[in-house]
Amino acid sequence: MLPFKSLLAVDKTAATPVFVQLADQLQQLIRSGTLTAGQRLPGTRQLAQLLGLHRQTLVAAYDELLAQGWLESRSGSGTFVTSHALDSRPQPLADSLALPSVRHQPGYSFEPRSFLARPVLTNPGGLRLDDGFPDIRLAPMDELSRAYRSYFRWGNPQQHFGYGDTKGHPLLREQLARHLNETRGLHTTPDNVLITRGSIMGLHLASQLLLRPADVVATGLTSWAGATMNFLNTGATVLPVAVDQHGLNTDQLADLCDRQQRLGRPIRMVYVTPHHHYPTTVTLRADRRVRLLQLAGQYGFVILEDDYDYDFHYLSRPILPLASADQRGMVVYVGSLTKSVAPAFRVGYVVAPTAVITELAQLRRIIDRQGDQMLEFAIGQLIKTGVLKRHFRKALRTYESRRDYFCQLLSTALPEAVQFTRPDGGLAVWATFDPAIDMASLAERARQTGLSLANGLFHNPPGQRLNGTRLGFASSTEAELEQAVALLKQAVNNR
């Protein structure tokens, strides 16, 4: 029996709940190898008596670790450290209008880039099952409007309406750094933050700075096309790694790293969406997260972590980003407020070591001198006053209810035609359709009935037919979802 009374210490006066303190400490014991794979833990009643705590506190701590994949419960036997936990040996973590006379083709030659051809996602009117957009009707528009007006009354107008810091408005960088530290476990300062126009700009800047022609980037076999296009645009080679129900397969990634090393073309970057993998929404398992960080330290590649919808996770606490455990400076963390508030508000961010942020800011100057200072100030005010945090809580409850209702509707209306797993988070369901259904024809039939949905063809890896698409539920009310599923059923049955 380990001396748990000495190993576990709680502070009942701290702001962090006691069960969270216990869960975090037990997780560290597993990560350090003190608790090994398959090791049985004391019962909650026994450990509660030992620590002088209420048993339900221990139950909540165990449930937290069960949800995150660090523990497993065996019926009739007890609670054990999961069998896929880390090796017991401690490991270092390391649109303008064209004039009629304008020609369609230029008089000079240029080379079109076929990999840039991708449908542009928009917010169509009417009923929709989109890619996973937020409901703009929930956004705190009144508060945002007041914050905008305050910009005109505050400080020196010469300063407000002149050139600003390329890295972003100081208020937003300060408040965002604090918000990310509190909600995502990061250890960052405003100097580690670059404000961008959405996460796609962050991905573009990071790709331009960190990649050179012939570099090798590893991504999931299914991945976000917007990121892949940026990698290809630098001249890099993109190699796929399998993604299963536990996220990116790090064993396969390790084999790929070893093979590329022997070929003299080492992996330069690994792109991941670990919280909710795009497009399939699965969460990268805890041991694979740590393994990925270890591989980055071993092979020296950059981890480009795209955390596009961290704020919406419905199962237990959101699992912390890879960047929160990055002790070697291997992670470039990219996020956005676009999915959290509204797509029209082009505010994203990059978090990285200060030397990288400085270079990214210099690169950004030749693309876009600075962001929208008024919008950045207003968003900073919403974070500072707690408006954005309250909005996240409200939206989270609403989207979780819509997810549950939408999944129930799909299961009832199309039990044979559509297969899916209810997502733990995010704003969309990854749905695969019966192979006999042609997705392009299905999307067209749905459009003719008044329902907009993507055909999903751009999710297909080369030479494969997934026959799946993302069905967004968050931007529609329950009544709208009911109508949308009815039209989807009609389109499926009318082939």
Side-chain angles (χ1 to χ4, degrees):
M1 172 71 70
L2 290 172
F4 284 98
K5 190 170 183 178
S6 301
L7 294 171
L8 301 175
V10 299
D11 181 0
K12 295 183 179 180
T13 65
T16 304
V18 172
F19 84 93
V20 174
Q21 296 181 46
L22 289 171
D24 289 343
Q25 291 177 45
L26 286 169
Q27 181 189 131
Q28 288 302 320
L29 292 176
I30 297 172
R31 291 167 66 112
S32 68
T34 304
L35 291 173
T36 59
Q39 184 169 345
R40 188 180 186 278
L41 295 185
T44 55
R45 191 182 307 278
Q46 178 187 0
L47 193 51
Q49 291 175 349
L50 182 65
L51 300 177
L53 298 172
H54 194 284
R55 180 179 173 234
Q56 288 304 315
T57 303
L58 274 299
V59 170
Y62 278 25
D63 285 346
E64 182 74 27
L65 294 173
L66 286 165
Q68 294 193 21
W70 292 103
L71 300 180
E72 59 188 17
S73 179
R74 301 177 188 174
S75 180
S77 299
T79 304
F80 297 79
V81 177
T82 183
S83 57
H84 53 252
L86 310 181
D87 191 332
S88 60
R89 294 167 298 176
Q91 303 261 351
L93 287 178
D95 312 84
S96 58
L97 295 175
L99 298 174
S101 59
V102 172
R103 294 167 56 98
H104 291 289
Q105 296 295 333
Y108 49 83
S109 64
F110 72 100
E111 185 177 351
R113 304 182 182 188
S114 59
F115 57 81
L116 296 179
R118 173 172 168 257
V120 176
L121 298 179
T122 60
N123 280 82
L127 296 172
R128 60 195 175 276
L129 295 173
D130 51 42
D131 190 63
F133 299 152
D135 191 339
I136 300 169
R137 294 167 292 190
L138 300 180
M141 296 298 187
D142 291 339
E143 294 88 342
L144 183 64
S145 176
R146 286 195 292 270
Y148 256 108
R149 290 196 297 272
S150 71
Y151 185 83
F152 294 88
R153 301 192 301 267
W154 171 78
N156 183 353
Q158 185 74 15
Q159 178 184 0
H160 282 355
F161 297 98
Y163 287 116
D165 192 332
T166 306
K167 295 179 181 178
H169 195 285
L171 175 65
L172 179 55
R173 290 169 61 212
E174 176 188 351
Q175 293 300 319
L176 187 59
R178 184 175 301 169
H179 174 74
L180 295 174
N181 291 343
E182 292 175 354
T183 62
R184 289 154 171 78
L186 302 190
H187 307 281
T188 191
T189 71
D191 289 334
N192 297 115
V193 178
L194 173 72
I195 305 301
T196 60
R197 294 185 187 269
S199 60
I200 188 67
M201 176 183 271
L203 292 173
H204 175 76
L205 292 172
S207 300
Q208 290 296 317
L209 176 64
L210 301 173
L211 296 177
R212 294 290 178 268
D215 277 350
V216 180
V217 180
T219 71
L221 184 60
T222 56
S223 190
W224 186 42
T228 302
M229 289 190 298
N230 271 289
F231 307 146
L232 294 174
N233 198 49
T234 68
T237 299
V238 177
L239 298 180
V241 177
V243 176
D244 58 25
Q245 69 271 28
H246 302 301
L248 191 78
N249 187 321
T250 50
D251 288 338
Q252 189 176 112
L253 175 62
D255 291 341
L256 179 63
C257 288
D258 184 62
R259 183 166 64 251
Q260 290 300 126
Q261 194 92 325
R262 286 186 275 106
L263 290 173
R265 296 190 62 196
I267 301 294
R268 170 60 174 165
M269 177 183 288
V270 175
Y271 170 74
V272 286
T273 50
H275 204 229
H276 306 126
H277 177 74
Y278 188 94
T280 63
T281 77
V282 299
T283 299
L284 186 62
R285 200 171 61 190
D287 62 305
R288 293 189 180 185
R289 290 167 175 263
V290 179
R291 179 65 170 148
L292 181 54
L293 286 168
Q294 292 172 342
L295 289 172
Q298 178 180 351
Y299 289 99
F301 58 73
V302 181
I303 299 175
L304 186 54
E305 180 176 17
D306 183 356
D307 212 356
Y308 63 97
D309 63 357
Y310 179 89
D311 295 298
F312 303 118
H313 193 76
Y314 315 119
L315 179 65
S316 184
R317 287 189 304 159
I319 297 175
L320 295 181
L322 293 166
S324 69
D326 178 25
Q327 297 181 352
R328 299 184 178 182
M330 308 304 291
V331 178
V332 175
Y333 183 71
V334 178
S336 172
L337 297 176
T338 294
K339 290 289 182 71
S340 303
V341 183
F345 300 143
R346 306 304 302 164
V347 177
Y349 51 87
V350 180
V351 178
T354 53
V356 176
I357 293 298
T358 298
E359 290 296 318
L360 288 173
Q362 292 176 352
L363 178 60
R364 187 240 175 92
R365 290 184 63 186
I366 67 173
I367 302 171
D368 184 19
R369 171 58 179 78
Q370 65 187 56
D372 185 333
Q373 294 281 292
M374 286 181 285
L375 176 60
E376 292 178 9
F377 170 83
I379 296 294
Q381 283 286 82
L382 296 191
I383 299 176
K384 183 177 181 180
T385 58
V387 169
L388 214 54
K389 185 176 291 186
R390 292 192 293 273
H391 165 67
F392 291 154
R393 288 198 296 264
K394 175 185 175 182
L396 181 66
R397 293 192 299 269
T398 301
Y399 295 157
E400 182 177 13
S401 176
R402 291 178 182 179
R403 176 204 63 173
D404 294 344
Y405 189 65
F406 179 60
C407 290
Q408 177 186 341
L409 288 171
L410 279 182
S411 297
T412 303
L414 296 162
E416 303 298 330
V418 179
Q419 300 295 318
F420 67 94
T421 299
R422 189 178 71 163
D424 294 338
L427 307 181
V429 168
W430 172 252
T432 55
F433 287 72
D434 185 298
I437 297 174
D438 180 82
M439 294 300 294
S441 299
L442 174 66
E444 176 58 24
R445 289 196 303 271
R447 187 192 64 79
Q448 292 174 1
T449 67
L451 173 65
S452 174
L453 78 155
N455 58 33
L457 298 181
F458 50 87
H459 295 311
N460 290 339
Q464 294 190 34
R465 179 174 176 255
L466 300 179
N467 225 46
T469 193
R470 285 167 60 89
L471 302 177
F473 55 81
S475 61
S476 303
T477 65
E478 293 186 357
E480 290 166 344
L481 289 172
E482 192 168 341
Q483 297 175 61
V485 172
L487 292 179
L488 178 60
K489 181 178 180 179
Q490 179 182 331
V492 168
N493 292 337
N494 287 347
R495 29 182 177 138

